[in-house]
Amino acid sequence: MTVADDEHAHLISAVRAAGAIAMGYFRADPRAWEKSPGHVVSEADHAANDHLKSALWQPNPDDGWLSEESEDDLSRLEAKRVWIVDPIDGTNAFLAGRPEFAVSAALVVDGAPVAAALYNPATDEMFEALAGGGARLNGEPMGLGRATAVEGARLISSRAERDREEWRAELSGVAVTAISSMAYKLALVAAGRYDACVTLWPKSEWDIAAAALLLSETGALMTDAQGAAFRYNRADTRLPAVVAAGPALHARLIERLAGRR
């Protein structure tokens, strides 16, 4: 399905506006609470979510809606078009005052992202893509890093995961940079600042849907740790692991991780 340029422009505008809303709370001690053990949400997340829902879904009520900060009633499973949104990916970093978070939104049609916008308002980086139309960072085309071997590759992951035994056992010889926000990490791989992103912890569709299109439009692969591709708008939104890199490096990383099977 082709997405009209004006709808894509509207998506970018909505995501940029949600980022501006988030910045109104950044380093301003917003109210925050645990929505479940170990998972924090803030009033900024809800304000950004409200804006995105109003801008993207309410004008298109036949579309589905899946957001980390909205109750999921599964009616989206009947929709051909679904908006998959994370109003602030990297809430812990946001609350800590670190510029390592992003507003992420994708339009998914028949299980595949066709339009995406991912914005870090603290750094003013807008990553966006259209299926078949390429991917851009602040209007300029993006390109992947050139690493094809695991040794010497620039890997990006989380602080907690970097210190796990599995990294030392299975990804020895790799320099790992730790940054919060799964969506932002994947966008930085699509932009060529890092060669790969690997997480061996479960993620959710809203963490990766927008970045999936950025990556595919720059020629990268993103799969689980066994090399299986993802589809979106499933009843179970959890994903077991994520490996994203250019094709040659992706193949080498999957080989390294084969011991986990």
Side-chain angles (χ1 to χ4, degrees):
M1 175 182 177
T2 301
V3 176
D5 288 344
D6 59 349
E7 185 168 33
H8 183 51
H10 178 67
L11 168 61
I12 294 170
S13 177
V15 168
R16 188 180 296 278
I21 290 169
M23 287 303 291
Y25 296 89
F26 188 52
R27 296 173 178 166
D29 195 26
R31 289 189 302 111
W33 59 94
E34 279 197 340
K35 56 184 176 180
S36 62
H39 293 87
V40 178
V41 67
S42 76
E43 58 182 324
D45 296 80
H46 282 272
N49 188 66
D50 289 347
H51 173 78
L52 291 168
K53 192 170 187 179
S54 174
L56 300 176
W57 178 77
Q58 288 180 357
N60 304 286
D62 291 334
D63 292 352
W65 178 261
L66 174 63
S67 169
E68 182 174 12
E69 308 307 343
S70 297
E71 184 177 355
D72 183 14
D73 63 7
L74 298 181
S75 62
R76 59 184 170 79
L77 299 177
E78 306 301 318
K80 180 180 180 66
R81 293 171 27 123
V82 180
W83 298 96
I84 300 183
V85 168
D86 195 337
I88 299 179
D89 185 59
T91 298
N92 287 332
F94 175 85
L95 292 172
R98 298 197 309 271
E100 300 173 9
F101 60 93
V103 180
S104 175
L107 175 60
V108 169
V109 178
D110 293 332
V114 298
L118 196 159
Y119 183 46
N120 182 335
T123 57
D124 195 26
E125 293 168 298
M126 173 61 77
F127 306 84
E128 45 87 10
L130 268 173
R136 292 153 293 276
L137 167 56
N138 291 342
E140 296 297 324
M142 295 194 295
L144 294 174
R146 297 182 178 180
T148 59
V150 175
E151 289 75 12
R154 301 165 300 165
L155 189 69
I156 188 170
S157 193
S158 68
R159 289 168 176 81
E161 206 155 10
R162 181 181 58 183
D163 298 330
R164 294 174 66 178
E165 287 292 333
E166 289 165 283
W167 289 107
R168 289 186 284 274
E170 297 164 5
L171 296 172
S172 60
V174 182
V176 181
T177 298
I179 293 180
S180 298
S181 173
M182 188 65 188
Y184 186 45
K185 286 194 281 278
L186 293 169
L188 292 175
V189 173
R193 294 188 198 168
Y194 296 89
D195 299 308
C197 177
V198 176
T199 178
L200 305 179
W201 286 351
K203 296 297 176 183
S204 296
E205 289 187 17
W206 49 73
D207 295 319
I208 72 166
L213 186 59
L214 301 175
L215 289 160
S216 65
E217 286 297 312
T218 53
L221 298 177
M222 181 166 66
T223 69
D224 67 17
Q226 284 72 50
F230 300 123
R231 286 191 67 78
Y232 301 87
N233 192 33
R234 302 168 308 134
D236 181 2
T237 62
R238 297 292 279 170
L239 308 165
V242 178
V243 180
L249 179 57
H250 182 273
R252 303 289 84 78
L253 287 167
I254 295 298
E255 289 174 1
R256 284 282 192 102
L257 296 169
R260 301 185 71 247
R261 300 180 189 180

